[in-house]
Amino acid sequence: MASGSNFLQLWLNDKVRDTLLSCLPKEDLPSFRLACHDFGVRAAPLLFEETNITFRASTFTKPARMAALDRIGHHVRTLSFSMAHSPDTFLPPLLDPVTGEEVTFIYEPYTHTTRHSASRLSNPTYGSWEMTDMLVKQYSPLFHAAANVPSFIRAFSALRNLKHLKISCPDQETIQRYRRSIVDYALISIRIAVERSNLLLLDTLSLLSVHPGAVLYLNPIMAFGALPNSVKRWKRITNLTIVMDSIPFTPYPPSDHLKHLHSYLQVFSSSLADFAFRWQGVNGLSPLSLDKEICLQQNSPEMACPRRCHLALRPLKFEKLRNMEVENIVVDASQVSSFITAHRRTIREFNFEDTHLRSGSWDQALTPLTRISGNEKWKEKAEEVMDVPLLLSPVGIEENKVNEVLVDYFNCKPRTFRPSIGAWQKAGARGRELFSGTPEHMKRFLRTSIFTWR
């Protein structure tokens, strides 16, 4: 009894309890919750704080599953929604059962959250009874689950404390980029559900490994099922991360997908504070300067929409942007310079990873920093990158042989920055001992301050 009372005192201490729960592996939390009712209540927030959903036909339609989501939904802070492209998500042409001719399907989302049996019998789900009958017979249950907007609204309404939404829809083949799939209908349902649910805390959106057409269906402007206040809901997003399948860089790349991306980023122009973008695959054009690309200008010979050639793209200007990172892009030095100048009053940090300049130099691209600061001291803080040798050796190697290898390496390898051999000797006996002394020599060597690792 004494040990039980002591444990109870520790358990009722908030700091001790939170520390204990944070140290438990997440895979052990389900078993921990089964010990007693209080354990289940205390461990639930940690267990369901990050929830992953791989969408299937019965994800949001099983009553028992939705009842469970109603019980735990308020614990969810980060939701990862995943739906990969596969043969199951491919939509074949819709054929008339009598003539065999292809039928055009004009999609209009059914957004009513309450569907009584009487209304179901009086209102067809897909516009007309003939179209509804063809879709039910020719398309798989996964399509009808993805187009079931009321089920998405009910699911997202249970996540009232959601702060971070992650969407992933990888593995789309390039030849399918101009065909609508079941994944696209699911994206439409997600967008409508977010707009019609009371998600006041949602401020972070991550589109991880999405196809170029995904931003068309997530764009609330003139979209399927959009309301007048749809854009206002998405303007609450302050952190945006996009990892998109690359559009190969050619003299005249497909301009329609790039226009969709530009239009989508315009939605967040007044609210975005942190933005990160990366092309997945080969490098592509900078999403921040598409208005300056030749392929999207009025006189381009390869316009995707010739009737709209006279409409020029508006430059992107993020009013509250503080941190920006782009990766795997091709850009001109003048475009980088223009972007920095336009955001000089708000931006605090920008990062160009794996960025290739088509024209100009980095000194020209970063010229605005000299004008903003009034001097060139920022160049002294420029980060220099070099290869650092890492020698994996047996424990019993002699110290003089280690030094010989390092001397040969530094004397033979061309580099921008060349450290002297004396610098290595000044590392001291302690550093050399850690490099080749004990069974834990490598772990302790990496913890020392001889080199900086990240």
Side-chain angles (χ1 to χ4, degrees):
M1 294 297 292
S3 60
S5 61
N6 292 336
F7 175 77
L8 183 60
Q9 291 179 359
L10 291 175
W11 180 253
L12 294 179
N13 187 295
D14 294 341
K15 293 184 178 180
V16 174
R17 184 180 62 250
D18 294 342
T19 302
L20 174 63
L21 292 176
S22 64
C23 294
L24 284 177
K26 191 171 183 179
E27 56 270 16
D28 294 338
L29 287 177
S31 301
F32 180 79
R33 294 182 68 230
L34 299 177
C36 69
H37 175 73
D38 191 63
F39 283 8
V41 173
R42 304 292 186 180
L46 286 177
L47 180 60
F48 303 111
E49 182 179 9
E50 297 184 6
T51 302
N52 302 322
I53 294 179
T54 301
F55 187 76
R56 297 182 177 86
S58 60
T59 299
F60 293 147
T61 55
K62 278 190 175 182
R65 185 170 296 173
M66 296 306 299
L69 186 60
D70 290 335
R71 293 193 301 269
I72 68 171
H74 63 282
H75 297 306
V76 179
R77 300 295 185 272
T78 301
L79 176 66
S80 299
F81 182 94
S82 176
M83 187 178 183
H85 292 265
S86 67
D88 295 333
T89 62
F90 174 78
L91 290 177
L94 195 62
L95 303 178
D96 187 286
V98 178
T99 63
E101 297 179 353
E102 184 175 352
V103 178
T104 301
F105 172 44
I106 301 177
Y107 179 59
E108 182 178 355
Y110 191 97
T111 59
H112 297 287
T113 56
T114 57
R115 299 185 61 180
H116 303 290
S117 58
S119 64
R120 182 178 298 182
L121 294 176
S122 60
N123 298 321
T125 304
Y126 302 106
S128 65
W129 289 113
E130 294 79 7
M131 180 62 66
T132 301
D133 183 66
M134 283 189 291
L135 290 171
V136 170
K137 292 180 179 179
Q138 298 185 34
Y139 283 175
S140 66
L142 184 61
F143 164 78
H144 301 286
N148 190 353
V149 179
S151 66
F152 279 79
I153 295 177
R154 180 187 173 186
F156 277 81
S157 297
L159 311 176
R160 56 182 179 271
N161 293 322
L162 182 66
K163 294 183 178 180
H164 187 181
L165 175 60
K166 299 180 181 180
I167 300 176
S168 175
C169 43
D171 302 333
Q172 186 191 49
E173 298 180 2
T174 305
I175 59 176
Q176 300 296 336
R177 285 185 175 175
Y178 290 92
R179 293 189 60 91
R180 190 179 299 169
S181 67
I182 296 179
V183 176
D184 299 321
Y185 287 95
L187 294 178
I188 296 173
S189 299
I190 291 176
R191 179 185 54 77
I192 297 176
V194 171
E195 295 169 359
R196 306 199 179 195
S197 302
N198 192 25
L199 304 177
L200 300 178
L201 301 179
L202 180 62
D203 62 358
T204 304
L205 175 64
S206 298
L207 307 180
L208 307 177
S209 188
V210 297
H211 54 290
V215 293
L216 171 63
Y217 303 103
L218 292 173
N219 193 335
I221 301 178
M222 302 295 291
F224 296 97
L227 297 176
N229 62 344
S230 295
V231 177
K232 183 179 179 181
R233 174 63 197 88
W234 291 101
K235 285 184 179 296
R236 297 177 185 173
I237 299 296
T238 59
N239 304 300
L240 176 64
T241 300
I242 300 178
V243 179
M244 180 175 289
D245 294 340
S246 62
I247 301 175
F249 172 69
T250 60
Y252 295 102
S255 60
D256 45 1
H257 285 143
L258 296 175
K259 281 188 173 183
H260 295 326
L261 175 60
H262 183 84
S263 176
Y264 183 68
L265 294 179
Q266 285 281 9
V267 176
F268 309 97
S269 59
S270 62
S271 61
L272 207 59
D274 298 284
F275 175 65
F277 184 92
R278 177 167 67 89
W279 288 113
Q280 188 170 252
V282 298
N283 51 23
L285 299 176
S286 170
L288 303 175
S289 55
L290 293 176
D291 58 294
K292 296 179 175 61
E293 294 296 337
I294 298 179
C295 62
L296 299 178
Q297 292 180 357
Q298 301 179 18
N299 56 355
S300 171
E302 299 291 336
M303 296 298 296
C305 302
R307 296 181 181 179
R308 295 176 59 87
C309 288
H310 63 285
L311 300 178
L313 297 180
R314 293 186 303 166
L316 284 175
K317 176 65 181 299
F318 300 103
E319 300 175 2
K320 302 178 181 179
L321 186 65
R322 296 193 308 266
N323 304 302
M324 181 276 295
E325 179 179 352
V326 290
E327 184 176 352
N328 198 23
I329 66 170
V330 177
V331 69
D332 296 329
S334 60
Q335 295 175 349
V336 176
S337 177
S338 299
F339 180 83
I340 297 176
T341 302
H343 297 82
R344 64 186 182 278
R345 300 186 184 278
T346 59
I347 197 165
R348 295 293 178 267
E349 180 179 348
F350 53 87
N351 189 7
F352 294 90
E353 290 284 350
D354 194 15
T355 299
H356 304 275
L357 295 180
R358 286 179 300 188
S359 62
S361 63
W362 280 110
D363 286 339
Q364 297 173 347
L366 302 179
T367 299
L369 296 182
T370 302
R371 294 199 300 265
I372 295 172
S373 61
N375 52 60
E376 296 186 353
K377 289 184 178 181
W378 61 270
K379 293 184 179 180
E380 300 175 0
K381 300 180 181 179
E383 180 179 326
E384 187 171 10
V385 180
M386 64 173 291
D387 295 330
V388 178
L390 178 62
L391 179 62
L392 300 177
S393 62
V395 175
I397 191 172
E398 297 180 4
E399 180 183 342
N400 58 349
K401 291 186 177 181
V402 175
N403 289 333
E404 291 177 2
V405 172
L406 291 174
V407 170
D408 293 339
Y409 178 85
F410 286 124
N411 287 336
C412 298
K413 184 176 179 58
R415 56 201 177 277
T416 304
F417 174 71
R418 180 174 180 175
S420 63
I421 303 304
W424 168 255
Q425 295 173 349
K426 292 178 182 178
R430 179 58 178 166
R432 294 193 293 271
E433 177 186 353
L434 292 175
F435 191 81
S436 58
T438 64
E440 297 293 328
H441 66 286
M442 184 54 63
K443 292 183 179 179
R444 287 189 289 162
F445 174 74
L446 295 178
R447 295 193 192 105
T448 63
S449 58
I450 298 176
F451 296 104
T452 301
W453 302 90
R454 69 169 188 170

